[in-house]
Amino acid sequence: MNCMTSSDQGLVRIDDPELARDITRARMQLLLEQPSLAAAVMRIPVVQVHSDLLAEGIGIAPGAIIVSQALRLKAQQLVAYAYGHNIIHALFEHLERRGRRQEKEWNIAIDIATAALYDPILDPSMQNQSSEYDIRPPRSTKFDALVQSLGHLSCEQIYQRLIEEQLNKPAASTSYSKVTENALPAAVNLQTKECPLRF
Protein backbone atom coordinates (compact mmCIF):
# COMPACT_ATOMS: atom_id res chain seq x y z
CA MET A 1 0.00 0.00 0.00
CA ASN A 2 1.24 3.45 -0.82
CA CYS A 3 -0.19 6.86 0.11
CA MET A 4 1.86 8.86 -2.40
CA THR A 5 0.42 10.49 -5.47
CA SER A 6 1.51 9.31 -8.90
CA SER A 7 3.50 12.52 -9.36
CA ASP A 8 5.56 11.66 -6.28
CA GLN A 9 6.31 8.06 -7.30
CA GLY A 10 9.70 8.86 -8.79
CA LEU A 11 10.70 11.21 -5.98
CA VAL A 12 9.40 9.59 -2.79
CA ARG A 13 10.13 5.88 -2.66
CA ILE A 14 8.73 4.75 0.68
CA ASP A 15 6.87 1.48 1.25
CA ASP A 16 5.58 2.18 4.78
CA PRO A 17 2.37 4.26 4.41
CA GLU A 18 2.73 5.94 7.83
CA LEU A 19 6.34 6.87 7.14
CA ALA A 20 5.34 8.17 3.71
CA ARG A 21 2.64 10.29 5.37
CA ASP A 22 5.15 11.78 7.83
CA ILE A 23 7.59 12.61 5.04
CA THR A 24 4.81 14.11 2.91
CA ARG A 25 3.84 16.35 5.83
CA ALA A 26 7.46 17.38 6.38
CA ARG A 27 7.89 18.16 2.67
CA MET A 28 4.68 20.22 2.61
CA GLN A 29 5.77 22.14 5.71
CA LEU A 30 9.07 23.02 4.05
CA LEU A 31 7.38 23.98 0.78
CA LEU A 32 4.95 26.29 2.57
CA GLU A 33 7.17 27.75 5.28
CA GLN A 34 10.62 27.67 3.68
CA PRO A 35 10.16 28.50 -0.01
CA SER A 36 13.92 29.01 -0.39
CA LEU A 37 14.25 25.24 0.00
CA ALA A 38 11.35 24.39 -2.32
CA ALA A 39 13.42 23.66 -5.42
CA ALA A 40 15.67 21.27 -3.48
CA VAL A 41 12.69 19.56 -1.81
CA MET A 42 11.13 18.92 -5.21
CA ARG A 43 14.35 17.72 -6.80
CA ILE A 44 16.08 15.51 -4.20
CA PRO A 45 14.58 12.00 -3.93
CA VAL A 46 13.58 10.39 -0.61
CA VAL A 47 14.30 6.67 -0.35
CA GLN A 48 13.38 4.23 2.40
CA VAL A 49 16.12 1.93 3.70
CA HIS A 50 16.05 -0.76 6.38
CA SER A 51 16.25 0.45 9.98
CA ASP A 52 19.41 -1.64 10.49
CA LEU A 53 21.15 0.66 8.01
CA LEU A 54 19.73 3.85 9.50
CA ALA A 55 18.93 3.59 13.21
CA GLU A 56 18.70 7.41 13.47
CA GLY A 57 15.72 7.42 11.12
CA ILE A 58 16.93 10.01 8.60
CA GLY A 59 20.17 10.88 6.86
CA ILE A 60 21.71 11.32 3.43
CA ALA A 61 23.27 9.19 0.75
CA PRO A 62 24.85 10.63 -2.39
CA GLY A 63 22.04 12.40 -4.22
CA ALA A 64 19.19 11.40 -1.90
CA ILE A 65 17.57 11.78 1.49
CA ILE A 66 17.23 8.39 3.16
CA VAL A 67 14.70 7.44 5.83
CA SER A 68 13.88 4.34 7.84
CA GLN A 69 11.00 3.22 10.02
CA ALA A 70 12.98 4.40 13.06
CA LEU A 71 11.86 7.91 12.08
CA ARG A 72 8.29 6.94 13.03
CA LEU A 73 9.32 7.27 16.70
CA LYS A 74 10.12 10.98 16.25
CA ALA A 75 7.72 13.86 16.80
CA GLN A 76 6.42 15.42 13.58
CA GLN A 77 8.11 18.71 14.44
CA LEU A 78 11.49 16.96 14.62
CA VAL A 79 10.78 15.12 11.36
CA ALA A 80 10.24 18.45 9.61
CA TYR A 81 13.44 19.92 11.02
CA ALA A 82 15.47 16.80 10.27
CA TYR A 83 14.17 16.69 6.71
CA GLY A 84 15.18 20.31 6.06
CA HIS A 85 18.52 19.74 7.78
CA ASN A 86 19.32 16.81 5.51
CA ILE A 87 18.04 18.64 2.42
CA ILE A 88 20.79 21.20 3.10
CA HIS A 89 23.35 18.40 3.48
CA ALA A 90 22.26 16.98 0.13
CA LEU A 91 22.07 20.39 -1.55
CA PHE A 92 25.68 21.18 -0.67
CA GLU A 93 26.79 17.59 -1.38
CA HIS A 94 28.33 17.30 2.07
CA LEU A 95 28.68 13.53 1.92
CA GLU A 96 30.34 13.63 -1.49
CA ARG A 97 32.79 16.32 -0.36
CA ARG A 98 34.14 14.33 2.58
CA GLY A 99 36.78 12.61 0.51
CA ARG A 100 39.44 11.09 2.75
CA ARG A 101 38.67 13.26 5.76
CA GLN A 102 38.03 11.67 9.13
CA GLU A 103 34.36 10.71 9.22
CA LYS A 104 33.49 11.79 12.77
CA GLU A 105 35.08 15.24 12.51
CA TRP A 106 33.67 15.82 9.03
CA ASN A 107 30.15 14.93 10.22
CA ILE A 108 30.47 17.40 13.08
CA ALA A 109 31.82 20.08 10.74
CA ILE A 110 28.94 19.73 8.28
CA ASP A 111 26.39 19.72 11.09
CA ILE A 112 27.89 22.94 12.48
CA ALA A 113 27.79 24.61 9.05
CA THR A 114 24.24 23.39 8.40
CA ALA A 115 22.97 24.56 11.79
CA ALA A 116 24.57 27.98 11.26
CA LEU A 117 22.78 28.29 7.91
CA TYR A 118 19.43 26.71 8.81
CA ASP A 119 18.77 27.96 12.36
CA PRO A 120 18.41 31.67 11.55
CA ILE A 121 15.89 30.81 8.81
CA LEU A 122 13.76 29.01 11.41
CA ASP A 123 14.13 31.52 14.23
CA PRO A 124 10.56 32.72 15.05
CA SER A 125 11.86 36.03 16.38
CA MET A 126 13.20 36.79 12.88
CA GLN A 127 9.68 36.33 11.51
CA ASN A 128 7.81 38.20 14.27
CA GLN A 129 6.36 34.93 15.57
CA SER A 130 6.13 33.52 19.08
CA SER A 131 8.52 30.83 20.29
CA GLU A 132 5.83 28.14 19.95
CA TYR A 133 6.59 28.14 16.21
CA ASP A 134 10.22 27.20 16.82
CA ILE A 135 10.82 23.72 15.35
CA ARG A 136 14.51 23.67 16.22
CA PRO A 137 15.35 20.80 18.60
CA PRO A 138 17.34 21.30 21.81
CA ARG A 139 21.06 20.60 21.42
CA SER A 140 24.09 20.25 23.63
CA THR A 141 25.65 23.49 24.86
CA LYS A 142 29.02 22.40 23.43
CA PHE A 143 27.53 21.99 19.96
CA ASP A 144 25.81 25.38 20.18
CA ALA A 145 29.10 26.98 21.24
CA LEU A 146 30.78 25.49 18.17
CA VAL A 147 28.01 26.84 15.93
CA GLN A 148 28.51 30.30 17.44
CA SER A 149 32.31 30.26 17.11
CA LEU A 150 32.74 28.40 13.80
CA GLY A 151 29.43 28.78 11.96
CA HIS A 152 30.67 31.62 9.77
CA LEU A 153 33.26 29.31 8.16
CA SER A 154 32.91 26.78 5.35
CA CYS A 155 32.61 23.06 6.13
CA GLU A 156 36.20 22.55 5.04
CA GLN A 157 37.45 25.36 7.29
CA ILE A 158 35.42 24.08 10.27
CA TYR A 159 36.83 20.60 9.74
CA GLN A 160 40.37 21.99 9.66
CA ARG A 161 39.77 23.88 12.92
CA LEU A 162 38.43 20.73 14.61
CA ILE A 163 41.47 18.73 13.47
CA GLU A 164 43.88 21.48 14.58
CA GLU A 165 42.23 21.65 17.98
CA GLN A 166 42.66 17.91 18.38
CA LEU A 167 46.34 18.13 17.44
CA ASN A 168 46.99 21.04 19.81
CA LYS A 169 45.43 19.53 22.93
CA PRO A 170 46.09 16.38 24.93
CA ALA A 171 43.89 13.51 23.77
CA ALA A 172 42.16 13.23 27.13
CA SER A 173 40.93 16.82 27.06
CA THR A 174 39.54 16.89 23.52
CA SER A 175 36.66 14.64 22.64
CA TYR A 176 33.97 15.33 20.09
CA SER A 177 32.10 12.11 20.77
CA LYS A 178 29.39 13.96 22.72
CA VAL A 179 29.33 17.18 20.69
CA THR A 180 26.33 16.20 18.59
CA GLU A 181 24.44 14.62 21.46
CA ASN A 182 20.83 15.83 21.12
CA ALA A 183 21.74 17.20 17.68
CA LEU A 184 20.33 15.72 14.52
CA PRO A 185 21.85 12.72 12.79
CA ALA A 186 24.76 13.76 10.65
CA ALA A 187 25.44 12.52 7.16
CA VAL A 188 25.34 8.76 7.01
CA ASN A 189 28.10 6.90 5.25
CA LEU A 190 26.42 4.05 3.39
CA GLN A 191 29.34 3.37 1.13
CA THR A 192 30.73 0.82 3.58
CA LYS A 193 27.40 -0.99 3.93
CA GLU A 194 25.27 -2.90 1.50
CA CYS A 195 22.41 -0.58 0.69
CA PRO A 196 19.69 -1.08 -1.95
CA LEU A 197 19.66 2.48 -3.29
CA ARG A 198 18.91 2.45 -7.00
CA PHE A 199 18.38 5.52 -9.19
Side-chain angles (χ1 to χ4, degrees):
M1 182 177 179
N2 201 315
C3 65
M4 295 176 288
T5 67
S6 58
S7 62
D8 279 335
Q9 288 293 338
L11 191 66
V12 182
R13 305 169 208 173
I14 300 176
D15 296 325
D16 179 340
E18 292 183 2
L19 181 59
R21 183 197 63 210
D22 287 351
I23 290 300
T24 298
R25 287 177 177 168
R27 291 176 71 220
M28 289 304 298
Q29 184 171 342
L30 286 173
L31 289 171
L32 292 171
E33 298 176 6
Q34 307 302 330
S36 59
L37 296 178
V41 170
M42 297 307 294
R43 185 168 54 244
I44 299 171
V46 188
V47 181
Q48 182 177 351
V49 297
H50 195 278
S51 292
D52 289 347
L53 289 173
L54 191 61
E56 297 90 353
I58 190 166
I60 59 170
I65 304 297
I66 53 174
V67 294
S68 74
Q69 287 180 316
L71 192 64
R72 293 287 299 117
L73 303 176
K74 311 286 187 186
Q76 184 63 39
Q77 183 170 312
L78 181 59
V79 173
Y81 182 93
Y83 189 85
H85 176 95
N86 282 285
I87 279 284
I88 292 173
H89 281 316
L91 188 61
F92 287 98
E93 298 184 332
H94 286 160
L95 188 64
E96 294 89 330
R97 284 163 50 192
R98 192 183 80 206
R100 295 175 182 241
R101 297 181 180 96
Q102 296 178 41
E103 182 177 353
K104 181 176 69 174
E105 286 75 13
W106 179 248
N107 285 349
I108 294 169
I110 64 177
D111 268 350
I112 291 168
T114 299
L117 175 67
Y118 195 31
D119 282 10
I121 296 172
L122 299 177
D123 188 346
S125 66
M126 302 282 285
Q127 304 166 32
N128 296 318
Q129 293 179 325
S130 65
S131 59
E132 68 187 56
Y133 292 100
D134 194 349
I135 68 168
R136 296 172 296 175
R139 294 187 300 237
S140 70
T141 54
K142 187 169 184 180
F143 181 80
D144 279 339
L146 288 170
V147 172
Q148 289 296 317
S149 64
L150 302 176
H152 63 288
L153 302 173
S154 69
C155 299
E156 288 78 8
Q157 291 169 324
I158 295 169
Y159 173 83
Q160 192 58 43
R161 292 277 185 94
L162 296 178
I163 295 299
E164 288 170 3
E165 185 176 331
Q166 277 191 321
L167 294 174
N168 293 332
K169 290 187 177 180
S173 67
T174 304
S175 173
Y176 292 109
S177 60
K178 297 289 184 182
V179 165
T180 53
E181 181 182 3
N182 298 325
L184 288 162
V188 176
N189 177 21
L190 292 178
Q191 296 170 347
T192 59
K193 301 176 182 178
E194 186 176 343
C195 181
L197 287 186
R198 293 183 179 88
F199 299 100

